[in-house]
Amino acid sequence: MPLSNQLTPGMTINVDGKIYRVESCIKMNVSKGAAFIKAKLRNLMNEEISEKNFKLGINVDEVALVEHMIEYLYVEKRDYLFLDIGNLETVLVPPSILGDKVNYLKEGIRLKALFYGDSVFSVELPQFLELMVIKTKSIDDKLTMSNSTKEAIMETGAKIEVPLFVEVGDIIKIDVAKNEFIQRV
């Protein structure tokens, strides 16, 4: 078990029953009192960043997360069913872990999943996806150069701002992280 003064960015640790990734850490020396480690931690469940101070030399619980590729199959009751590509076992993932990523799920899409024990702890979508436009908003006659986009709804339910030339039935490439149109395919 590592000590608090051995924390490094990228480590995954367990603090009060929650799993965090260390984003940054520095040793703080104060004129009055003992030195301590100030760390920025990212909660892997909800992506929130928080700061925590650790006394020097205390034990820190390091966690080993295992990365697997999983493929989306379908919704089962309230959970989402995936296939673990490595061992061909099905995995149920609750919506709380997926969050807004459910708007980009379609059958056959592959995601990276971090497992803690036997359960999925977090998932990561590919950077780009190709999705079909199923609905677009009507175009107003009062368009200006600064307002040359319209809202489109994808086959997965995601809403994206797209250029005016994109029509229903077009397949477009989307940057998932930024929720942006890239190009028409």
Side-chain angles (χ1 to χ4, degrees):
M1 196 176 286
L3 299 175
S4 60
N5 47 330
Q6 296 172 325
L7 284 177
T8 57
M11 283 179 83
T12 307
I13 60 174
N14 183 350
V15 178
D16 301 328
K18 296 179 182 172
I19 308 296
Y20 294 93
R21 182 174 41 242
V22 178
E23 296 293 321
S24 68
C25 57
I26 55 173
K27 182 179 177 183
M28 302 292 291
N29 291 315
V30 289
S31 59
K32 293 182 181 179
F36 61 92
I37 302 293
K38 186 174 193 168
K40 276 191 179 177
L41 306 174
R42 180 180 301 273
N43 185 328
L44 293 180
M45 283 294 270
N46 56 20
E47 299 292 320
E48 289 180 2
I49 292 182
S50 59
E51 289 189 359
K52 180 149 176 69
N53 296 335
F54 296 93
K55 293 180 181 177
L56 287 178
I58 65 166
N59 287 332
V60 177
D61 185 14
E62 186 173 12
V63 174
L65 297 178
V66 181
E67 187 177 292
H68 291 264
M69 288 299 291
I70 58 175
E71 183 176 313
Y72 176 65
L73 299 175
Y74 55 87
V75 177
E76 186 171 288
K77 296 180 184 170
R78 297 189 71 215
D79 294 333
Y80 295 84
L81 188 70
F82 290 85
L83 176 69
D84 187 334
I85 303 297
N87 58 18
L88 299 178
E89 291 182 2
T90 56
V91 179
L92 280 174
V93 179
S96 60
I97 291 177
L98 291 169
D100 291 338
K101 296 171 186 157
V102 297
N103 292 329
Y104 293 104
L105 292 180
K106 73 175 189 175
E107 187 177 324
I109 189 172
R110 291 189 178 190
L111 299 90
K112 282 188 219 171
L114 292 177
F115 281 76
Y116 179 54
D118 290 334
S119 60
V120 175
F121 200 78
S122 70
V123 295
E124 182 181 327
L125 288 164
Q127 183 177 1
F128 301 107
L129 285 176
E130 293 179 1
L131 300 173
M132 182 186 295
V133 177
I134 60 167
K135 187 177 181 184
T136 60
K137 287 211 173 184
S138 61
I139 302 171
D140 293 336
D141 293 335
K142 301 175 185 175
L143 289 176
T144 63
M145 290 303 283
S146 64
N147 187 17
S148 58
T149 62
K150 61 183 177 181
E151 185 178 271
I153 300 175
M154 304 295 108
E155 61 186 303
T156 59
K159 295 180 180 178
I160 309 287
E161 289 294 319
V162 297
L164 299 176
F165 61 82
V166 174
E167 298 295 329
V168 173
D170 288 350
I171 296 176
I172 62 171
K173 188 174 188 176
I174 299 168
D175 184 334
V176 175
K178 297 178 183 174
N179 199 32
E180 284 183 353
F181 169 86
I182 301 295
Q183 68 184 27
R184 184 166 51 179
V185 180

